[in-house]
Amino acid sequence: MPIRVVFLGPPGTGKGTQARRMSERFGLAALSSGDVLRQEIAEQSHVGRQAQSYVQEGTLVPDSVVTAVMLAGIDKLRSGTGFILDGFPRTVPQAEALAEGLRQRGWRLQAAIDFQMDDRLLIERLVTRRVCSRCGRTYNIRFLPPKAEGRCDGCGGALVQRVDDREDVVATRLATYRQQTAPLIEYYLHRGVYQTVDASAPAERVEAAIVGILMGLSDTE
Ligand code: AMP
């Protein structure tokens, strides 16, 4: 059975980096709600125009808007492709809508993997994060630097700082996480799919921990 999991946890914990690694290793689709929304904003689509002010402020885009684009993204995958949802769901109503959407397709979520990290480290990692302006790959000038300064290892694109990674917006994003997304821990605990990783460990160790979790899933399915 294809792997179907979500990555939970505050921004800056390495969810995107690990989703990319798992996608390469297991042939999964990595669907990042933040990436999808940034793309819609860049295209100034209907969804993009609805989402723009929230993304810039670091608050949450309305549930109905995000849920619709993410379920549409799932439906675009080739049949039988497993997926990791990165950054979605972010509220209990989103989690409920996802569960219902999966149920309608005859599927269920196998794990919600929570990336745990101390707040102080989190802020440091967010403000030192850089993103490739061409392919979206994420780096960190302190913790995960590119081989050549300011350039993406993969495509050579210029690395930039996301507007919402500046210190003032980061504070709002973390507060939003605590208020609206942290309740998902309880939600998934109750459903027996909650798992954690220590996201402050080096990326290779986090990667190994997630591989262990995903391999365990395929064994039992
Ligand atoms: P991210 O790249 O995951 O940090 O997301 C960047 C921004 O996109 C967030 O600060 C929100 O404004 C918006 N966003 C991403 N995912 C969601 C979601 N599941 N629900 C609501 N807003 C979201």
Side-chain angles (χ1 to χ4, degrees):
M1 181 188 271
I3 290 172
R4 298 188 181 100
V5 298
V6 303
F7 282 180
L8 291 179
T13 47
K15 301 189 298 293
T17 300
Q18 297 297 343
R20 183 185 295 268
R21 292 186 183 189
M22 294 307 129
S23 140
E24 283 163 10
R25 185 186 283 255
F26 294 104
L28 303 170
L31 298 177
S32 150
S33 50
D35 283 352
V36 169
L37 292 172
R38 280 185 288 277
Q39 184 62 36
E40 297 281 347
I41 292 170
E43 289 166 6
Q44 283 293 296
S45 67
H46 181 59
V47 166
R49 289 197 307 275
Q50 285 176 294
Q52 186 154 12
S53 61
Y54 301 98
V55 173
Q56 277 167 357
E57 281 167 14
T59 55
L60 293 187
V61 173
D63 290 336
S64 55
V65 175
V66 187
T67 302
V69 280
M70 292 306 282
L71 287 175
I74 289 173
D75 284 336
K76 276 189 217 137
L77 301 177
R78 204 158 41 86
S79 127
T81 306
F83 53 78
I84 296 170
L85 303 180
D86 160 18
F88 174 84
R90 278 250 227 308
T91 64
V92 172
Q94 287 180 22
E96 285 167 345
L98 172 64
E100 176 57 20
L102 294 181
R103 199 191 58 74
Q104 285 169 2
R105 290 160 180 79
W107 304 334
R108 67 180 186 82
L109 202 67
Q110 294 147 310
I113 304 176
D114 188 13
F115 285 55
Q116 296 187 319
M117 190 184 284
D118 181 85
D119 262 10
R120 247 189 336 180
L121 180 59
L122 211 61
I123 293 171
E124 195 182 344
R125 292 208 0 176
L126 276 170
V127 298
T128 49
R129 174 159 78 174
R130 298 293 180 271
V131 186
C132 175
S133 54
R134 201 181 293 160
C135 74
R137 187 158 155 185
T138 308
Y139 296 85
N140 188 290
I141 51 179
R142 284 202 46 202
F143 304 102
L144 199 65
K147 293 191 184 96
E149 198 184 323
R151 291 278 150 205
C152 177
D153 295 348
C155 75
L159 302 187
V160 295
Q161 183 175 42
R162 269 170 52 177
V163 244
D164 59 346
D165 278 347
R166 303 205 179 126
E167 213 153 347
D168 48 335
V169 187
V170 161
T172 307
R173 289 167 68 207
L174 289 183
T176 303
Y177 175 81
R178 298 281 168 234
Q179 271 169 16
Q180 292 175 271
T181 309
L184 287 182
I185 296 173
E186 197 73 8
Y187 176 91
Y188 284 122
L189 257 174
H190 271 118
R191 282 153 187 81
V193 292
Y194 181 72
Q195 309 235 26
T196 59
V197 290
D198 172 13
S200 60
E204 282 60 42
R205 287 238 309 275
V206 180
E207 182 174 351
I210 299 172
V211 168
I213 292 173
L214 297 187
M215 303 276 275
L217 296 178
S218 11
D219 283 344
T220 55
E221 288 291 333

